[in-house]
Amino acid sequence: MAWFLCLCLFLAVGLALLALQLKLRASLRGPRELPSLPALPLIGSLLSLGSSHPPHVLFQELQKKYGETYSLMMGSHRVIIVNQHVHAKEVLLKKGKVFAGRPRTVTTDLLTRDAKDIAFGDYSPTWRFHRKIVHGALCMFGEGSASIEKIICQEAQSLCSTMSDVTEGGLALDLSPELTRAVTNVICSLCFNSSYSRGDPEFEMMLRYSQGIVDTVAKDSLVDIFPWLQIFPNAGLRLLKQCVSTRDSLLQKKYDEHRADYSDHVQRDLLDALLRAKRSAENNNNTEISAETVNLSDDHVLMTVGDIFGAGVETTSTVLKWAVAYLIHYPQVQKRIQEELDIKVGSDRSPQLSDRGSLPYLEATIRELLRIRPVAPLFIPHVALSNTSIGEFQVRKGTRVIINLWSIHHDEREWKNPQMFDPCRFLNSEGTAVVIPSPSFLPFGAGVRVCLGEALAKMEIFLFLSWILQRFTLSLPPGDSLPSLEGKFGVVLQPARFKVHATPRPGWDRHKSQAC
Ligand code: PLO
C-alpha cells in the first residue's frame, strides 16, 4: 500500500512539474505571431484576395481559414484584419492612442492636401488641437443646441412637401437626391449659414463631385497599395482629381466669403467658429496651446470643413437611403413605427426630439439599420504608432489595422440570425425600452477617433424618419422589383438607386399645419 501511495505522489509531482514547465515555456515565448495569408514579394497577398466578394465580406469569409484576427500583406504593408469586438475594442479603446495613427495613401492625400484634415490626418499634437476646436465648434452649433432641431425640422418639412408634390401627380420618386439635399442643407446651415433649393446647379454639382469622390477614394484601390502606379494613366485617379478640384473651389469660395465679412463679435456658423479659433491661437503665440497650433493653416481649416461637410452628408444620407430600402422590404416594420407614432405623437403636431424617449420601436429600428448595414463597414484603417499587441498577438510599429465592422455586426455568436432585419433585438422583452443586446455594436466607432457627428446624425435620422413616416407610407411602385440590399462597397456602403411610392396617410394632407 505504501509503495502505491509513493508512486501516486511521484506521478502527481511529475505531472505538476511538467505542466509548470509547459506554462513557463509558453510565457517565455511571449506574444504569438498572427496567422497570415501567404504573401509574395512586391505584390503581397494580392493573389489570395482575388474574389467576387466585396472586401468586407471577403475579410469575413477568410476568418474561417485564418481565425478572427489575421494579417496579410497589401503590397509592402502589413495589414491586420480584426473581425471581433474584443480585439476591436482593444485597438479603439484600451490602446486607442497607440493605434491612433493613419496610413498615408495616394487617394486620401489628394482629398486632404496631404492629410491636413481630421478623419485621415495622422495622430499628432496639431491633430489633437485641431480636433478639439472642431469638437467645441460642433457642440456650439450642433449637438445640444436648440437651433439645430429647428433647422432639421425646417428641412424635414421641405422634404415632405416635395414628396407631396410628386405623389400628388401619382409619380414614383427616387428619394435619394431629396434625402441628400435635406441632409446637405442641415450641414450647410451649420457650416456656412446657407442652403440649397431644389434644382440649384451648385447642389447638382456637389452631388456629382461627392459621388465621384466616394467612388474613388480610400477603397484600397491599386494606386493606394502600389503608389508607383500613379505614373500610368488611371481613370479613377483622374476622376478623383477633377472632383477634388471642383470641391476645393466651392470650399474656397465659401471660405473667402466668410473671411471678407468676418467679425469677432458674431459667430454665424461653424466656419466662423473655426476662423475665430485660428485667429485667437495666432494672437496668443506665447501660450502652451499656440505651440501646437503653428500648423493650423488655411488648408487645415478648409480640409476640416471638407471633412465635416463630406462626412455629414454622405453618411447620414446613406443611412436614410438604407432605411427607405428596408422599410419597403419590411412593410410590417413600417406599420409598427406608424402605429407607435400615431399613439405617442398623434396627427396634430409633428415629432420633435423630446419624443425620442417615447418612440422605442423607431429608435430600435434605427439601431438595427446601423447594425445590419454599417455606413463604413471597414472604418478608416488605423496604424500602430509603436510596437504593441492585440490579444496574445504581437504587432510591430507601422502595421496597419483594419477593423471589420461588418463581421462585428454579423457575428453569429453575438447576434441571433445576424442576416435577419429584426428591430426587436434592440428592445426589452416588454417592448417598452431600447437596449443594446451585445457589446458587438460599434456603428460610430469608439475611442480617440470616435465619430464627431454621432449626436447630430442620430438627431437627423430620428427627425427625418419620424416626419416622413407620420405623413407617408412608402411602398414599391407597381411593376418594380424590390431594391437590392447588397450595397456598393466604397468608403461608405451605399444602396443601389430605386424608386418609391409615397402615399399620404389618412389625416395628413399637404395643407395641414406643420409646426415643429
Ligand atoms: C465623402 C465624399 C466627400 O466629397 C468627401 C468626404 C469627406 C470625409 C469622408 C467622407 C467623404 C466619407 C465618409 C468618411 C468621411 C470622414 C469620416 C467618414 C470617411 C469621402 C467615415 C465614415 O469614417
Side-chain angles (χ1 to χ4, degrees):
M1 191 63 187
W3 66 266
F4 180 70
L5 275 177
C6 275
L7 186 70
C8 285
L9 200 68
F10 182 73
L11 277 176
V13 171
L15 279 174
L17 278 175
L18 192 72
L20 200 72
Q21 198 187 359
L22 283 176
K23 207 172 160 200
L24 207 70
R25 217 184 276 169
S27 71
L28 280 179
R29 219 188 299 135
R32 285 203 294 136
E33 283 287 337
L34 271 163
S36 297
L37 268 68
L40 290 170
L42 282 176
I43 64 165
S45 311
L46 214 58
L47 296 180
S48 320
L49 296 175
S51 147
S52 53
H53 290 308
H56 54 284
V57 180
L58 171 65
F59 292 156
Q60 184 191 29
E61 289 291 308
L62 286 170
Q63 284 183 91
K64 290 183 194 139
K65 190 158 172 204
Y66 297 97
E68 294 155 337
T69 303
Y70 53 84
S71 86
L72 52 89
M73 296 295 290
M74 278 192 185
S76 55
H77 298 288
R78 179 160 296 282
V79 185
I80 296 176
I81 313 288
V82 172
N83 289 290
Q84 50 107 319
H85 71 94
V86 177
H87 283 173
K89 286 190 176 160
E90 187 174 344
V91 171
L92 297 174
L93 290 165
K94 197 166 151 209
K95 297 179 180 159
K97 282 191 183 161
V98 181
F99 285 104
R102 286 285 196 229
R104 294 284 294 267
T105 67
V106 174
T107 58
T108 56
D109 272 3
L110 266 172
L111 180 70
T112 61
R113 299 196 181 161
D114 297 333
K116 292 201 186 62
D117 71 329
I118 293 183
F120 299 100
D122 205 359
Y123 190 69
S124 69
T126 312
W127 178 87
R128 276 205 310 266
F129 173 74
H130 199 170
R131 187 174 156 115
K132 215 161 83 190
I133 293 183
V134 176
H135 184 66
L138 265 176
C139 284
M140 201 179 312
F141 284 98
E143 305 159 13
S145 94
S147 64
I148 193 69
E149 176 167 10
K150 231 164 136 190
I151 295 173
I152 303 173
C153 288
Q154 245 165 29
E155 289 308 321
Q157 179 174 334
S158 135
L159 172 71
C160 291
S161 60
T162 306
M163 287 171 69
S164 288
D165 288 345
V166 176
T167 47
E168 232 173 39
L171 290 174
L173 173 68
D174 177 1
L175 267 182
S176 168
E178 301 309 327
L179 293 169
T180 309
R181 191 164 56 84
V183 173
T184 305
N185 279 344
V186 173
I187 283 287
C188 261
S189 298
L190 217 91
C191 288
F192 311 127
N193 194 22
S194 64
S195 65
Y196 294 115
S197 47
R198 203 166 184 223
D200 185 322
E202 192 175 286
F203 173 70
E204 306 284 333
M205 179 180 87
M206 196 222 90
L207 274 187
R208 274 195 304 275
Y209 84 62
S210 205
Q211 190 57 51
I213 296 176
V214 170
D215 287 342
T216 49
V217 85
K219 286 177 75 170
D220 277 321
S221 51
L222 285 178
V223 275
D224 282 341
I225 302 173
F226 309 113
W228 46 267
L229 280 178
Q230 284 173 88
I231 57 171
F232 299 109
N234 177 329
L237 212 55
R238 210 175 315 124
L239 173 67
L240 177 62
K241 283 180 186 164
Q242 264 168 19
C243 292
V244 169
S245 116
T246 316
R247 179 201 69 163
D248 286 356
S249 41
L250 193 137
L251 287 180
Q252 190 69 49
K253 193 179 104 196
K254 302 275 184 201
Y255 193 47
D256 293 342
E257 283 166 8
H258 269 69
R259 269 197 307 199
D261 50 15
Y262 173 80
S263 146
D264 269 335
H265 310 296
V266 216
Q267 272 190 45
R268 296 158 295 181
D269 48 36
L270 200 118
L271 191 46
D272 271 355
L274 289 178
L275 275 172
R276 185 188 197 157
K278 176 170 152 50
R279 289 187 187 197
S280 85
E282 280 163 2
N283 293 339
N284 280 329
N285 51 4
N286 48 1
T287 66
E288 194 202 322
I289 304 172
S290 72
E292 295 186 345
T293 59
V294 179
N295 292 326
L296 201 67
S297 57
D298 287 342
D299 271 1
H300 280 94
V301 176
L302 269 182
M303 293 302 107
T304 296
V305 177
D307 258 13
I308 298 172
F309 200 67
V313 171
E314 289 302 333
T315 53
T316 310
S317 61
T318 300
V319 180
L320 292 173
K321 290 180 217 169
W322 279 121
V324 176
Y326 271 93
L327 292 175
I328 290 179
H329 272 261
Y330 294 85
Q332 69 280 19
V333 172
Q334 184 174 185
K335 191 154 170 265
R336 189 161 162 193
I337 299 175
Q338 287 172 328
E339 284 166 1
E340 190 181 63
L341 278 164
D342 290 347
I343 296 169
K344 301 288 173 43
V345 181
S347 58
D348 292 333
R349 65 171 181 90
S350 296
Q352 53 202 34
L353 285 179
S354 55
D355 293 316
R356 260 168 89 175
S358 47
L359 296 169
Y361 189 73
L362 173 56
E363 280 287 303
T365 308
I366 295 173
R367 287 184 193 194
E368 177 66 346
L369 281 164
L370 293 170
R371 180 196 70 83
I372 202 160
R373 287 296 174 270
V375 175
L378 297 181
F379 288 135
I380 305 176
H382 289 247
V383 170
L385 298 170
S386 56
N387 286 341
T388 176
S389 59
I390 301 178
E392 53 184 344
F393 301 117
Q394 66 182 40
V395 175
R396 271 182 276 279
K397 180 179 173 180
T399 307
R400 299 179 178 187
V401 181
I402 291 182
I403 296 186
N404 190 355
L405 189 59
W406 180 267
S407 300
I408 292 172
H409 282 185
H410 289 86
D411 187 337
E412 276 170 0
R413 286 155 306 178
E414 298 290 332
W415 307 98
K416 199 172 154 209
N417 298 329
Q419 305 304 336
M420 225 171 82
F421 180 67
D422 176 17
C424 288
R425 63 173 99 237
F426 284 96
L427 283 179
N428 64 0
S429 52
E430 295 82 42
T432 49
V434 200
V435 291
I436 306 258
S438 159
S440 200
F441 183 59
L442 290 166
F444 294 93
V448 265
R449 286 196 181 262
V450 66
C451 171
L452 275 171
E454 176 171 348
L456 175 63
K458 285 178 171 165
M459 289 192 261
E460 287 189 76
I461 298 167
F462 171 80
L463 284 172
F464 284 129
L465 285 183
S466 58
W467 274 62
I468 294 175
L469 293 176
Q470 185 189 40
R471 291 161 172 76
F472 302 96
T473 298
L474 306 173
S475 59
L476 196 66
D480 283 11
S481 40
L482 280 166
S484 160
L485 295 178
E486 202 184 323
K488 185 171 108 191
F489 176 79
V491 67
V492 290
L493 183 73
Q494 291 176 324
R497 301 193 83 149
F498 56 93
K499 289 195 170 174
V500 288
H501 244 289
T503 315
R505 297 190 62 216
W508 273 101
D509 60 62
R510 51 174 317 150
H511 308 295
K512 192 155 185 165
S513 145
Q514 285 156 333
C516 179

